[in-house]
Amino acid sequence: MNLLRALAGWVMLRLLARFSRGSGRLPEDRPRIVAPQPPHPRAEGLAVGLLLLAAVSGVLFVVLYALEASTQLLGLALAGALLAIGVALVVLAKRVLPTEQLAEPFPEPDPEQADEVAQIVRESGDGLTRKKLLLAAGGAAGCALGAAAVAPALSLGPLLDTDPLYKTPWRRGVRLVDAHNEPVRADDIEPAAFYTAFPEGASKELLGAPLVVVRLAAADLRLPRERVGWAPGGILAFSKICTHAGCAVALYRSPLYDPTEPDPALVCPCHYSTFNPATGGEVIFGPAGRPLPQLPLMIGRDGVLRSAGDFSGPVGPSWSGVRSRRPT
């Protein structure tokens, strides 16, 4: 913290020396205030190298983030950039920049002493032999570190174009597969059981990829009129992403007796939003504000479940109404 304060003070002195009234160019025959400092080219070179290393580490962080690298690698890249900058500042403070110790309290600023302050600042930098190189290396490190800070913020979502929020990998004819990429057959879906499925050939990490698949008796279905043919053999598929806060719907309530639990239900374990699959995923309990999107299904000639289209509504939570359109 003291090092940062010293650096900030040096910057303020530079600005004061440049913009203060009446400072102008100082006479060359004016007696020195700061004792001459011997040059330290090796220390300056070390500081330049450390700042360039920090810049490389910052760029590496952005690259690793774009490649979706592990959190450990991202942490190492960011820690390397910060450590290199910190060591470079220590080297400059200990070996290059002059220091002065005063026993008495620091005097209040006096506008009449602006010229003297400007002379102190100018003479303090006499020992630097690679000023431009140091400034360029420091600027590169700062820009790279700034890019490393901005990259995660930009990935939070599109700034202007929200169309990517509505895209899903589901199209008519896409086969349902399990976590091992094995096709999900209609005959394998048992009543009172809970299954997870994904679109064949697409990334399982996509928001619109995971499904929950259940089977109900055809007589128990009360789907909306436009979805009558969406559940062949009583098999229903819904988005696995809860419409409240984006958690995974991971519980299936299969009633064992009436009237305590009259209907099967899909439950999100985060805040217990509960959805009725028999009625098309409508909310029957909890904070979710809209139904769980349903995916129309069909059974191929090979007995494998396939999608018959896209979801009935946008996938995921409805933050500030950004998901008010149908998926594409």
Side-chain angles (χ1 to χ4, degrees), residues 36-95:
Q37 299 291 321
H40 297 87
R42 290 186 178 181
E44 293 179 34
L46 176 59
V48 169
L50 288 169
L51 292 173
L52 292 178
L53 178 61
V56 172
S57 299
V59 173
L60 180 61
F61 177 91
V62 176
V63 173
L64 292 174
Y65 192 86
L67 296 177
E68 299 182 356
S70 65
T71 305
Q72 290 80 1
L73 291 177
L74 293 174
L76 286 175
L78 188 59
L82 295 175
L83 180 61
I85 291 176
V87 174
L89 292 177
V90 171
V91 170
L92 290 174
K94 295 292 186 179
R95 300 295 304 276

Side-chain angles (χ1 to χ4, degrees), residues 175-185:
R175 298 202 304 178
L176 276 66
V177 296
D178 59 18
H180 304 289
N181 294 320
E182 295 295 329
V184 178
R185 302 179 62 84

Side-chain angles (χ1 to χ4, degrees), residues 109-243:
D110 186 355
E112 301 298 329
Q113 297 178 343
D115 288 344
E116 183 177 346
V117 171
Q119 181 180 351
I120 293 174
V121 172
R122 189 190 67 181
E123 294 176 354
S124 297
D126 286 348
L128 293 173
T129 61
R130 303 175 180 177
K131 295 180 182 179
K132 293 183 179 180
L133 187 57
L134 280 169
L135 289 175
C143 291
L145 196 60
V150 170
L154 293 179
S155 67
L156 293 177
L159 297 178
L160 300 176
D161 183 15
T162 59
D163 287 340
L165 296 174
Y166 301 93
K167 295 183 182 297
T168 78
W170 294 103
R171 299 292 182 270
R172 182 176 179 85
V174 175
R175 298 202 304 178
L176 276 66
V177 296
D178 59 18
H180 304 289
N181 294 320
E182 295 295 329
V184 178
R185 302 179 62 84
D187 293 341
D188 295 334
I189 306 300
E190 299 290 339
F194 178 96
Y195 301 86
T196 299
F198 304 91
E200 186 178 35
S203 172
K204 296 180 176 61
E205 301 297 327
L206 296 175
L207 187 68
L211 297 175
V212 293
V213 182
V214 296
R215 188 168 204 156
L216 302 179
D220 294 335
L221 297 181
R222 303 186 300 278
L223 298 175
R225 181 177 304 176
E226 65 275 11
R227 304 188 206 171
V228 171
W230 286 25
I235 302 175
L236 304 106
F238 298 90
S239 169
K240 195 179 178 70
I241 307 302
C242 180
T243 56

